[in-house]
């Protein structure tokens, strides 16, 4: 009896202490926000609130990563201070907080970067970028591009050390699916308003939106297949329908072309190729009957189409620049500076490469292209190795996630033939998840 009373007293005391801490924290927050309002106005209140949230998240790196991933979907509209060299966005601020929060773990040796080969490949890629920087004529554009790739390399490392098991992978998937479904909904609204205008949701453009939606589509499918709750299955099915409509209405020919390879790769790595091909056939039939505008969009491809001609000019220019500068390229981020010297494009306006592989080769040289292709190959190879192990253990949940990562990566791989998506943050998240697949790992305490 005495032991029971002591336990109850201890629990009550602990609850009282926690309540006092919450009370004091609330009083402190009120005082801080009140002072900020009096001294600096509404913006100062927002900054004060953001600082308190940052303090709360500082000891929770994985939570910060989830916040960062949610902001990536809205990066086109979360700029704080636009600049030609380095635009400050909320996503970059959160990314900086994430890096700082992880430093103590690395310093104390509680975290280690395990994928040394991949990090070495990224190092070679960045060194090529630095070498090509010396040939740039527009140093502002070159520095901006180099900073972007450095950030992507850091993101690769961070995802690898934080997403340490299937449960965390599932959480990351939920964040990506829910935030990107909002972008899909906005895009659907844009299509309904004016079907002739390419939708962008809250992304940079239609190509970026469609590539990101592939990530959401595949993660949504994984979440639906791996939940046992009927209501949850229904919810994810609705979200998948929204994302699928967003993909269809994007009118992205590259996204349409990537569909069959993406589905085939997912089924192949999942270990269910026959089932996947059957589902693919049904989906294609449904598209033919209920979304014929996708076929009309694909039929527009031809030399008489203005967009297609622009792509052809970009590819020809990329090849010629690469042949003239095969080793270190023309300068990272400097393709538009040289476009008009290498083309007969009558419009007279600089263009981007519109091909990730030619873009890297022409701007950074053949060794950078080799490093980038090595990242892609290593990602698929790693997925295949882990897939074999999971098949032996009959880990069907793990195999589903292997399949969806392979499907999303394949979509990017194909779409990169037509667009410059090598700077997509979701692509580098997929690289990290593929090369360091979170299979039977446990998170470090405190993360």
């Amino acid at each position: 009896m005495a032991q029971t009373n002591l336990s109850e007293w201890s629990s009550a005391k602990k609850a009282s202490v926690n309540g006092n801490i919450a009370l004091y924290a609330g009083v402190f927050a009120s005082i801080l926000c009140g002072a900020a309002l009096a001294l600096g106005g509404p913006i100062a209140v927002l900054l004060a609130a953001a600082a308190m949230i940052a303090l709360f998240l500082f000891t929770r790196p994985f939570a910060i990563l989830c916040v960062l991933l949610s902001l990536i979907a809205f990066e086109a509209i979360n700029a704080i201070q636009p600049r030609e060299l380095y635009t400050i966005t909320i996503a970059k601020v959160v990314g900086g907080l994430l890096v700082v929060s992880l430093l103590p773990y690395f310093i104390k040796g509680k975290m280690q970067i395990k994928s040394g080969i991949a990090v070495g490949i990224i190092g070679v890629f960045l060194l090529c970028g630095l070498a090509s920087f010396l040939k740039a004529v527009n140093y502002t554009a070159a520095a901006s591009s180099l900073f972007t790739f450095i950030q992507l390399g850091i993101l690769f490392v961070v995802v690898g050390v934080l997403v340490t098991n299937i449960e965390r992978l599932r959480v990351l998937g939920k964040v990506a699916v829910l935030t990107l479904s909002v972008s899909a909904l906005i895009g659907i609204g844009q299509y309904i308003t004016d079907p002739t205008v390419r939708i962008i949701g809250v992304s940079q453009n239609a190509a970026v939106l469609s590539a990101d939606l592939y990530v959401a589509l595949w993660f949504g499918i994984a979440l639906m297949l791996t939940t046992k709750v009927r209501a949850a299955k229904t919810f994810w099915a609705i979200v998948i329908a929204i994302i699928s409509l967003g993909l269809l209405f994007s009118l992205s020919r590259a996204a349409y072309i990537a569909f069959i390879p993406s589905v085939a790769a997912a089924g192949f790595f999942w270990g269910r190729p026959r089932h996947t091909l059957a589902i693919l056939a049904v989906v294609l039939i449904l598209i033919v009957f209920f979304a014929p505008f996708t076929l009309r969009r694909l039929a527009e491809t031809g030399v008489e189409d203005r967009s297609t001609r622009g792509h052809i000019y970009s590819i020809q220019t990329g090849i010629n620049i690469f042949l003239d500068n095969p080793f270190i390229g023309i300068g990272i981020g400097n393709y538009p500076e040289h476009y008009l010297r290498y083309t007969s494009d009558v419009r007279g306006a600089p263009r981007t490469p519109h091909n990730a592989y030619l873009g890297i080769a022409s701007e950074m040289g053949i060794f950078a292209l080799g490093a980038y292709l090595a990242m892609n190959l290593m990602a698929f190879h790693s997925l295949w190795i882990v897939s074999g192990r999971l098949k032996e253990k009959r880990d069907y949940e793990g195999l589903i996630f292997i399949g969806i990562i392979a499907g999303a990566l394949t979509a990017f791989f194909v779409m990169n033939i037509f667009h410059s998506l090598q700077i997509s943050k979701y692509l580098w998240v997929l690289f990290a998840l593929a090369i360091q697949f979170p299979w039977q790992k446990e998170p470090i305490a405190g993360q």
Side-chain angles (χ1 to χ4, degrees):
M1 179 68 72
Q3 243 182 352
T4 303
N5 290 337
L6 182 61
S7 177
E8 290 176 353
W9 177 82
S10 177
S11 298
K13 184 177 180 181
K14 186 176 180 180
S16 176
V17 170
N18 290 338
N20 287 336
I21 291 174
L23 175 62
Y24 297 146
V27 171
F28 174 74
S30 299
I31 293 173
L32 185 61
C33 289
L37 181 63
L39 298 174
I43 299 299
V45 176
L46 292 175
L47 291 175
M52 286 186 286
I53 294 172
L55 187 62
F56 172 75
L57 291 174
F58 187 74
T59 56
R60 298 164 176 82
F62 181 68
I64 303 177
L65 177 62
C66 291
V67 173
L68 175 62
L69 200 67
S70 68
L71 290 169
I72 290 172
F74 300 94
E75 196 162 16
I77 58 173
N78 66 33
I80 300 173
Q81 195 173 32
R83 288 286 186 272
E84 185 180 359
L85 173 60
Y86 192 82
T87 297
I88 299 176
T89 63
I90 301 174
K92 289 177 180 176
V93 173
V94 173
L97 174 65
L98 176 57
V99 171
V100 173
S101 71
L102 287 172
L103 288 178
Y105 292 101
F106 283 109
I107 293 171
K108 293 178 182 179
K110 292 183 178 181
M111 280 187 183
Q112 294 181 348
I113 302 171
K114 295 183 179 180
S115 185
I117 297 176
V119 174
I121 292 172
I122 293 173
V124 170
F125 185 81
L126 293 177
L127 284 174
C128 292
L130 186 60
S132 71
F133 181 88
L134 302 176
K135 287 193 67 176
V137 295
N138 184 337
Y139 286 107
T140 299
S144 177
S145 296
L146 190 58
F147 286 156
T148 297
F149 281 122
I150 291 172
Q151 291 168 8
L152 293 171
I154 293 172
L155 179 62
F156 172 88
V157 172
V158 168
V159 172
V161 298
L162 285 181
V163 186
T164 49
N165 54 36
I166 292 292
E167 193 52 44
R168 286 196 166 185
L169 179 59
R170 188 192 301 278
V171 172
L172 214 64
K174 289 178 180 178
V175 172
V177 172
L178 292 175
T179 51
L180 285 169
S181 65
V182 174
S183 190
L185 272 173
I186 294 172
I188 291 170
Q190 293 168 344
Y191 180 84
I192 293 172
T193 303
D194 189 352
T196 62
V197 177
R198 301 285 301 280
I199 68 170
I200 61 173
V202 288
S203 296
Q204 302 287 347
N205 53 53
V208 173
L209 173 65
S210 56
D212 291 348
L213 288 182
Y214 263 114
V215 178
L217 175 66
W218 282 118
F219 268 107
I221 291 172
L223 292 169
M224 184 183 71
L225 293 176
T226 56
T227 184
K228 296 179 180 179
V229 181
R230 181 171 296 182
K233 281 186 180 293
T234 303
F235 173 78
W236 292 121
I238 294 171
V239 173
I240 290 169
I242 293 170
I243 293 167
S244 300
L245 285 175
L247 261 174
L248 289 172
F249 293 158
S250 69
L251 300 180
S252 170
R253 288 174 290 188
Y256 297 162
I257 293 170
F259 179 70
I260 293 178
S262 177
V263 174
F268 182 70
F269 279 84
W270 181 16
R272 300 288 182 87
R274 293 181 181 177
H275 294 80
T276 306
L277 290 176
I279 294 171
L280 178 61
V282 172
V283 171
L284 289 177
I285 292 171
L286 291 174
I287 289 174
V288 169
F289 281 99
F290 295 102
F293 60 88
T294 58
L295 301 178
R296 289 196 295 270
R297 176 61 177 158
L298 284 171
E300 293 174 2
T301 304
V303 292
E304 69 282 354
D305 176 60
R306 182 178 178 182
S307 176
T308 303
R309 286 203 308 272
H311 282 289
I312 293 173
Y313 286 137
S314 294
I315 291 172
Q316 291 173 339
T317 301
I319 293 172
N320 292 330
I321 291 177
F322 170 66
L323 292 176
D324 287 348
N325 307 270
F327 298 110
I328 60 173
I330 204 71
I332 184 172
N334 272 230
Y335 176 97
E337 305 297 322
H338 300 272
Y339 174 75
L340 295 177
R341 292 198 299 112
Y342 280 88
T343 184
S344 57
D345 192 342
V346 294
R347 289 175 295 178
R351 288 177 59 90
T352 56
H354 276 280
N355 181 302
Y357 311 107
L358 276 178
I360 292 171
S362 61
E363 290 187 347
M364 301 166 64
I366 192 168
F367 300 112
L369 176 62
Y372 182 72
L373 290 175
M375 281 291 290
N376 281 270
L377 292 175
M378 187 175 179
F380 285 112
H381 179 261
S382 299
L383 286 174
W384 182 247
I385 295 298
V386 179
S387 174
R389 296 174 183 170
L390 294 177
K391 287 174 185 175
E392 291 177 2
K393 293 182 174 292
R394 298 180 182 275
D395 185 344
Y396 298 114
E397 181 182 22
L399 282 170
I400 288 172
F401 279 100
I402 285 284
I404 63 102
I405 292 172
L409 269 175
T410 301
F412 270 103
F413 189 83
V414 173
M415 291 183 67
N416 266 328
I417 298 172
F418 309 97
H419 297 288
S420 301
L421 299 172
Q422 69 271 23
I423 59 172
S424 167
K425 292 181 176 64
Y426 281 109
L427 173 60
W428 288 75
V429 168
L430 291 172
F431 280 152
L433 295 177
I435 294 173
Q436 304 173 83
F437 186 74
W439 175 58
Q440 292 185 349
K441 297 178 185 176
E442 293 301 325
I444 297 171
Q447 289 183 36

